[in-house]
Amino acid sequence: MAVRQEEFVLNMGPQHPSTHGVFRIVLTLDGETVVKADPVPGYLHRGIEKLAEARTYTQVIPYTDRLDYLASMLMNWGYVQAVEKLMGIEVPLRAEYIRVIVGELARIASHLVATGAMASDLGGLTGFLYTFRDREEILDLFEMVCGSRLTASYMRIGGVAKDLPEGFVPKAKEFLKKFTLSLAEYNGLITGNEIFQRRTKNVGILSAEKAVDMSLSGPVLRASGVGHDLRKVRPYSIYPQFEFEVPLRTNGDCFDRYYLRVLEMAESVKIIEQALASLPEGPVMAKIPRIIKPPAGEVYTEIESSKGIMGVYIVSDGSPKPYRVHFRRPSFINLGYLAEMVRGWKVADVVAILGSLDIVLGEVDC
Amino acid sequence: MDDISNVSKITEPVQKRILAKIAAAHPEINVSEAGHLHVPVDSLTAVMRDLKENFGFDYLSNVTAVDYLEYMNVVYDLCRVGTPYMLHIIVRIDRENPVVPSMVPLWGGALWQEREIYDLLGVIFTKHPDLRRILLDDTWEDHPLRRDYQWMSGRD
């Protein structure tokens, strides 16, 4: 009897633990091999850009928390920096230091989710528990500075909402000391795990040319050997004052994308340590008008978020509300290449590849 | 803060030189005071190809559009990978017939970004390989980021 063979369609998501949120991908399979993939985002679309048009400039800040909610500090930062550039506001030095400290803590928190989630996606749930144990401490620190663990809304146009509370600096230093040991622990538990390596090495290889062509950014781009980190190549805030490396990997496979984040966390620790050691005294808010009315015009600025380049485009008509706000979300653009990346790989590899891209659906769908 | 101003001391003159070179090569481009390049839609593809192939702007960072009710702007932000230099390109298009050539043949990164603008603002990108809605439901009518879009609010 002849065996009948045909392709079949497998719907993954929108409710699936490995899609890291409400995201759907329609896979056309030949046996276990992906022939075609059609990612379907949009399940978390709230129309934040439209909502922003009916809010004042300051009222937009809480909406940015809900983009990449795993690194809300960085989302705040990207937005307030754009408004500050449009208005020509100079941020006080102490506020810049605080932004760097909380921003890099947010980067570590976000990378911890990526690292732990990738381990659990590939069957190692223990890794997830270890990274979340340490992420809790960062959230505790955030709770200290702004009362909120996830949706910080801590930054303001012209600085930060309030100064660091008493006891923050020693607690942060204590965390960093412990965290360096935790990194070694992750390397023992996840990075060095043979099963993990065999599931990720030489899987989902992304070339440097393709990564640049597809506007990919962040760890996804740098794991393919492209040294484009805005903290170095187009420095903003006070990043030139700190000594740190931009880790690069060259294979562009799932393992490199995973491991690059571990290396980046170690660099973030260095930055925070330097910032805590040289934290200057002074005000944390610039003198800004009570009603924020940027002059008519438009601006586009970018920061290096944990997921990649986070850009903010603002058009002002001179009124207290933005005429148009657009967020360039790195997760959204990085996800745009997923269909090509998973083609030809097995179903199980789809989970590894998606995990290595580290998307957050709040940011993808906006 | 000193370090930042040192950095911009080096980059700003270079950025100006790049803009002057582009303006000299393309007299149809209008460079605004803020350094934005206003490109006529008819010459967009040729200009963009030149910027990519001869000026080294290999990375299409951002694409978006704005509705001004009388007309629309499509906005592109290009950069050179590994350098601080950026270009902000503005293309004015007819709002009743919002058609602009797709940049997907030049930069694959336009693939989803152009779909998003089509979805939310109704701009048609000619020669886009897969121009369909991306965030909203396929059966959705109209384009909500247009300024005259009527919407229901829970507030105000």
Side-chain angles (χ1 to χ4, degrees), chain B residues 45 99-105 114 124-131:
Chain B
T45 308
V99 179
V100 70
S102 169
M103 288 299 129
V104 175
E114 290 183 346
I124 311 286
F125 294 89
T126 48
K127 292 197 183 151
H128 188 290
D130 186 25
L131 196 65

Side-chain angles (χ1 to χ4, degrees), chain A residues 103-115:
Chain A
E104 292 302 321
L105 282 171
R107 189 183 313 277
I108 295 177
S110 165
H111 282 358
L112 283 175
V113 176
T115 304

Side-chain angles (χ1 to χ4, degrees), chain A residues 11-75:
Chain A
N11 179 60
M12 188 172 150
Q15 303 290 344
H16 189 285
S18 296
T19 58
H20 299 193
V22 276
F23 170 63
R24 179 175 161 223
I25 176 163
V26 184
L27 300 167
T28 308
L29 303 172
D30 175 5
E32 289 255 331
T33 309
V34 178
V35 180
K36 184 173 167 277
D38 184 18
V40 187
Y43 289 90
L44 201 59
H45 180 63
R46 295 140 296 175
I48 288 178
E49 291 178 4
K50 186 72 181 176
L51 289 164
E53 292 172 7
R55 303 283 176 268
T56 66
Y57 282 90
T58 307
Q59 284 173 341
V60 175
I61 296 172
Y63 288 96
T64 64
D65 288 338
R66 283 136 183 97
L67 292 170
D68 179 359
Y69 44 77
L70 298 174
S72 56
M73 292 286 190
L74 292 165
M75 299 293 111

Side-chain angles (χ1 to χ4, degrees), chain B residues 36-82:
Chain B
H36 302 159
L37 303 172
H38 293 261
V39 180
V41 66
D42 302 333
S43 47
L44 180 69
T45 308
V47 167
M48 291 298 233
R49 175 161 290 125
D50 192 38
L51 291 177
K52 184 189 175 191
E53 287 168 4
N54 301 321
F55 286 89
F57 285 89
D58 49 356
Y59 191 90
L60 176 71
S61 196
N62 178 53
V63 187
T64 190
V66 194
D67 177 20
Y68 289 99
L69 292 169
E70 286 102 46
Y71 61 94
M72 283 169 108
N73 275 354
V74 181
V75 176
Y76 302 88
D77 292 279
L78 301 180
C79 88
R80 285 179 184 164
V81 163

Side-chain angles (χ1 to χ4, degrees), chain A residues 260-289:
Chain A
L260 191 92
R261 293 193 182 92
V262 178
L263 298 174
E264 281 199 0
M265 286 193 272
E267 295 303 318
S268 292
V269 169
K270 279 193 216 163
I271 297 172
I272 302 165
E273 278 174 343
Q274 292 170 56
L276 287 171
S278 53
L279 185 63
E281 292 298 320
V284 295
M285 270 298 283
K287 293 243 181 301
I288 56 156

Side-chain angles (χ1 to χ4, degrees), chain A residues 315-327:
Chain A
V315 179
S316 164
D317 58 357
S319 76
K321 292 174 183 174
Y323 186 81
R324 171 93 168 91
V325 181
H326 171 69
F327 299 104

